[in-house]
Amino acid sequence: MNPTEMNLTAVLKPIFSALLICFAFTLSGQISPGELVSPHAQLEGMLNCTKCHVLGDKVSNEKCLECHKEIKSLVDQDKGYHASSEVEGKECVSCHSDHHGKNFQIIRFDTEKFNHALTGYKLTGAHQKLDCNECHNNDKIDSYELKKKKYTYLGLKTECISCHQDVHQKTLSTDCASCHNTDKFAPATLFEHNKSDFVLKGKHKEVDCKKCHQITFINNAVFQKFADVPFKSCANCHEDVHNNQFGQNCKECHTEEGFNVFVGKSSFNHNQTDFPLLGKHAKVDCASCHHLSGNNAAANVFQDYRGKDFHDCITCHKDVHETKFGLDCKKCHTEDSFQKILHPDLFDHDLTGYALEGKHETVDCKKCHKTKMIDPVAHDRCMDCHEDFHKGQFVRDTHKPDCKDCHNINGFAGSSFTIEKHNEGPFPLEGAHLATPCIACHMKNEKWTFRDIGKKCVDCHSDIHEGFLDEKYYPQKSCNQCHSSEGWVQVSFDHLLTGFELQGKHQQALCVACHKPDTSTIGGSKRIPFTGLKPECISCHDDIHERQFEVAGATDCKRCHKFEAWKPSNFDHNTARFVLDGAHKNVTCVKCHKADVVEGKAVTKYKLEKFECVDCHK
């Protein structure tokens, strides 16, 4: 399009619009489909068509909402019926058709079948039975603009207080639904008293609400007070039947379970009275001293000892000693326990005919006086009170010993049974046995044993030679054949009995040098084999000559060496095949007998095969 055409269009467009409007006025009687409803009457006339209709098109939702701003506001907030899934996406005209006459009802729906939950407020309980107009009326609408409408379902709030009177007169929260439901206002079935500042316990659960929450008449209306009811002290509601004798903290003695249920034993401070509770008295049930029967007037409860000398023990307690020790019980007893003597050192037990000495001084009186303290107690023998720990081991037909024969009253541990007395028995103590503690022999198990524990060594000691020493050397396992009680390592064995006499260096050698300890043990001691050894030197000593002097398969070291020492030997070279004479007598052995390496070891060669002069001399 060229510039000339564009300018022409700009000039003709407003002229065309004006002609179109004039044409519309001419045809108005023929275009309008009918008279508008009464609320839209101000929109009559062809000049107002475009306020609702798009020119040449249908009615526009946007144009509807330009006028009905209250609905647009709800839709924008995604609230109300017009924002529900049933309405969303629909054209306004599909439900609100116009041009049907002034008296046509443009808002029409079946109130019986209408799903009120789509509005965002579901009808429950008694609300389901109400007529729509009981709630949807101008009296309950706050908005001035909505109040001017003749018919509207808008403008109501969902809070209960917007429709119902506040019977609590602003003393409680306006969130009625926290306590009430829509079925009926009373009782407040959703209210939980245990979530309030005063939890109902015990008998309080059975009390009628009106007992605490009184009904009065305030501001020309019936009013029941639920807020600011004092409850910090029981006396806010209950009469103090004790006339303030015990203060106002009733919970020290009582619980909500019942006024007659007394729990003051654990909480009441009796020290505030003239009789502080000490020792066992602190654990005694109150009813043991105070008469709490139902016929006792409340004002007289716990007043039993008024005017009495309650510091005198016999006011409450029976004198079990029948006044034989006087009436001042505190001289011997404490409030912690009657059985415990406060000052046993002050009681002269010598007067009883049995002086307390040693361990007896610390024994609890009731250990001996199992009945009344004044009842006679047998005390001539220790076993009148003490059990025979040794179970009759020392009892004989002609003698029945008592504990004091070996023990004293300073303590059972230890004994006065001397070594001299022990040596009078069948097993005298000698040597190392003198230093052996009694427990080593007489308490091998869990209890002490003094009879039939053995007389032979093997009755107490392990036989470490069993299987390693021929019994002929210790018949019937009598250890004293070789050992003494002075010490185990002191041995006096006659080696000639074995057929191998110890001579020379053998006499100085330790037994274990030949009889080497076995790896197995008995009682922690290594066992030493004393059998099975051969008498040949080669059985213990290495053959450093590597069998050069072997005869018939055996090497007899004694042919050249003595027991006193390996060197010098008693070898006579003149008995050999090469007799030493002349200068040869002065030649050292190594000049002729040189060492060869045999299997990595140097071995001196004594048996020479050649004896010619040229074999040695150049």
Side-chain angles (χ1 to χ4, degrees):
M1 183 180 293
N2 57 46
T4 304
E5 292 174 335
M6 293 175 66
N7 291 334
L8 181 60
T9 301
V11 173
L12 294 177
K13 188 172 183 179
I15 298 173
F16 177 75
S17 298
L19 292 174
L20 183 61
I21 292 171
C22 292
F23 179 73
F25 271 114
T26 306
L27 300 177
S28 63
Q30 299 176 13
I31 293 175
S32 176
E35 190 179 22
L36 295 174
V37 295
S38 177
H40 290 166
Q42 76 276 14
L43 299 175
E44 287 284 4
M46 294 300 294
L47 292 176
N48 293 323
C49 293
T50 55
K51 290 185 177 182
C52 296
H53 296 274
V54 176
L55 190 62
D57 202 350
K58 59 186 178 180
V59 174
S60 166
N61 284 355
E62 288 75 11
K63 289 185 176 290
C64 294
L65 294 177
E66 284 178 10
C67 288
H68 298 283
K69 291 181 172 54
E70 67 281 356
I71 293 179
K72 183 178 187 304
S73 175
L74 289 172
V75 171
D76 290 344
Q77 299 176 62
D78 198 24
K79 293 182 179 179
Y81 174 68
H82 291 91
S84 68
S85 58
E86 186 171 296
V87 178
E88 187 179 16
K90 287 186 177 182
E91 298 291 334
C92 301
V93 71
S94 64
C95 295
H96 305 290
S97 178
D98 207 339
H99 291 290
H100 299 296
K102 186 176 294 185
N103 296 324
F104 180 73
Q105 188 176 357
I106 196 169
I107 301 174
R108 292 185 302 164
F109 59 91
D110 188 345
T111 58
E112 296 295 329
K113 296 181 180 181
F114 178 68
N115 183 5
H116 205 282
L118 296 173
T119 67
Y121 185 81
K122 185 178 181 180
L123 298 181
T124 59
H127 287 161
Q128 294 175 307
K129 304 173 184 179
L130 297 177
D131 182 75
C132 302
N133 293 328
E134 290 190 51
C135 296
H136 295 283
N137 57 66
N138 283 359
D139 294 338
K140 296 181 176 60
I141 297 176
D142 287 337
S143 172
Y144 176 75
E145 292 299 323
L146 291 175
K147 274 181 176 290
K148 292 191 297 183
K149 293 181 178 291
K150 187 175 181 181
Y151 302 106
T152 183
Y153 287 95
L154 302 176
L156 297 188
K157 296 181 179 179
T158 58
E159 293 81 4
C160 304
I161 205 71
S162 65
C163 291
H164 300 280
Q165 180 185 0
D166 180 9
V167 298
H168 301 304
Q169 300 189 25
K170 297 184 179 180
T171 59
L172 298 178
S173 166
T174 57
D175 183 15
C176 307
S178 63
C179 299
H180 303 278
N181 60 32
T182 56
D183 293 328
K184 55 183 179 180
F185 182 75
T189 55
L190 300 181
F191 175 70
E192 295 185 43
H193 212 290
N194 290 342
K195 292 184 178 180
S196 70
D197 292 335
F198 187 79
V199 178
L200 296 182
K201 301 177 181 177
K203 292 292 184 181
H204 284 153
K205 294 179 181 179
E206 304 170 9
V207 176
D208 185 3
C209 304
K210 293 191 290 293
K211 286 283 188 179
C212 301
H213 303 285
Q214 297 181 353
I215 299 176
T216 58
F217 199 77
I218 299 178
N219 297 327
N220 298 322
V222 175
F223 176 75
Q224 188 170 12
K225 186 177 182 180
F226 289 102
D228 299 325
V229 176
F231 61 86
K232 297 297 182 183
S233 172
C234 300
N236 292 139
C237 296
H238 301 280
E239 178 188 359
D240 180 8
V241 296
H242 302 302
N243 298 323
N244 202 32
Q245 292 181 98
F246 306 111
Q248 295 298 307
N249 189 9
C250 307
K251 288 183 287 189
E252 277 191 335
C253 300
H254 302 284
T255 71
E256 292 97 329
E257 300 300 327
F259 187 76
N260 293 325
V261 178
F262 177 69
V263 294
K265 180 172 64 175
S266 60
S267 58
F268 179 71
N269 187 4
H270 210 282
N271 292 339
Q272 294 178 352
T273 69
D274 294 333
F275 189 77
L277 297 182
L278 304 173
K280 291 289 186 181
H281 284 149
K283 301 177 182 179
V284 174
D285 184 29
C286 304
S288 297
C289 300
H290 299 285
H291 300 291
L292 304 177
S293 58
N295 57 5
N296 198 11
N300 295 327
V301 172
F302 300 114
Q303 307 303 312
D304 309 73
Y305 297 92
R306 181 178 293 171
K308 293 183 181 180
D309 184 10
F310 48 81
H311 294 286
D312 194 347
C313 301
I314 62 171
T315 301
C316 296
H317 300 281
K318 180 182 177 182
D319 180 9
V320 296
H321 303 304
E322 300 174 349
T323 71
K324 292 182 180 180
F325 298 119
L327 297 178
D328 188 5
C329 307
K330 292 188 289 295
K331 285 178 62 178
C332 297
H333 302 285
T334 71
E335 292 167 288
D336 292 325
S337 172
F338 183 77
Q339 306 298 331
K340 182 180 179 181
I341 298 178
L342 178 62
H343 299 295
D345 53 318
L346 298 180
F347 181 74
D348 188 3
H349 207 279
D350 293 352
L351 298 176
T352 66
Y354 185 82
L356 296 182
E357 299 172 341
K359 288 289 186 180
H360 288 156
E361 290 182 310
T362 59
V363 174
D364 185 6
C365 303
K366 290 298 291 182
K367 286 287 187 179
C368 299
H369 300 278
K370 299 183 184 298
T371 56
K372 292 182 180 179
M373 289 292 180
I374 57 176
D375 288 346
V377 177
H379 58 274
D380 294 331
R381 293 172 55 83
C382 300
M383 283 187 284
D384 289 335
C385 291
H386 299 281
E387 182 183 354
D388 181 7
F389 180 81
H390 302 300
K391 307 297 182 183
Q393 291 185 66
F394 300 111
V395 176
R396 294 292 178 266
D397 294 337
T398 58
H399 179 62
K400 188 176 182 181
D402 197 20
C403 306
K404 60 179 175 289
D405 294 341
C406 298
H407 304 280
N408 59 52
I409 55 179
N410 292 319
F412 183 78
S415 169
S416 60
F417 188 77
T418 63
I419 293 177
E420 289 73 22
K421 288 183 179 181
H422 199 289
N423 291 342
E424 293 174 2
F427 190 85
L429 298 178
E430 299 172 345
H433 287 153
L434 287 170
T436 302
C438 306
I439 193 171
C441 298
H442 295 289
M443 197 178 178
K444 290 189 174 182
N445 299 315
E446 295 180 356
K447 61 182 181 179
W448 288 88
T449 306
F450 294 93
R451 297 298 182 196
D452 302 324
I453 63 172
K455 299 178 182 179
K456 297 187 298 182
C457 300
V458 293
D459 291 333
C460 292
H461 301 281
S462 299
D463 180 10
I464 66 171
H465 300 310
E466 186 173 5
F468 284 75
L469 180 62
D470 197 315
E471 191 176 350
K472 69 180 180 180
Y473 300 118
Y474 69 129
Q476 297 182 344
K477 297 187 177 182
S478 53
C479 304
N480 55 8
Q481 293 289 326
C482 301
H483 304 279
S484 73
S485 58
E486 300 298 328
W488 182 256
V489 296
Q490 297 177 12
V491 181
S492 60
F493 179 68
D494 185 4
H495 212 279
L496 278 174
L497 298 174
T498 66
F500 185 83
E501 182 182 3
L502 297 180
Q503 303 175 36
K505 288 292 185 179
H506 284 162
Q507 291 179 327
Q508 301 172 14
L510 295 175
C511 303
V512 294
C514 298
H515 303 282
K516 298 188 181 297
D518 189 76
T519 54
S520 60
T521 61
I522 290 181
S525 300
K526 292 183 178 180
R527 300 209 293 178
I528 302 174
F530 289 100
T531 59
L533 295 186
K534 296 179 181 181
E536 293 80 8
C537 303
I538 203 70
S539 65
C540 291
H541 302 280
D542 292 334
D543 180 7
I544 64 171
H545 303 307
E546 291 294 327
R547 302 171 66 179
Q548 292 183 64
F549 302 103
E550 188 177 86
V551 177
T555 300
D556 185 10
C557 303
K558 294 190 296 296
R559 287 166 51 198
C560 300
H561 302 280
K562 298 179 181 180
F563 291 109
E564 284 72 17
W566 182 258
K567 294 180 180 180
S569 71
N570 58 0
F571 174 69
D572 185 3
H573 209 288
N574 292 331
T575 62
R577 290 185 295 166
F578 186 82
V579 177
L580 297 179
D581 54 9
H584 285 155
K585 292 180 180 181
N586 301 321
V587 177
T588 58
C589 301
V590 296
K591 285 291 187 177
C592 299
H593 301 285
K594 300 182 183 298
D596 287 343
V597 177
V598 179
E599 296 181 356
K601 182 172 64 175
V603 178
T604 302
K605 190 173 183 180
Y606 287 99
K607 283 197 173 185
L608 301 180
E609 301 297 331
K610 298 178 180 181
F611 307 104
E612 298 297 329
C613 297
V614 296
D615 293 330
C616 293
H617 302 282
K618 294 183 179 179

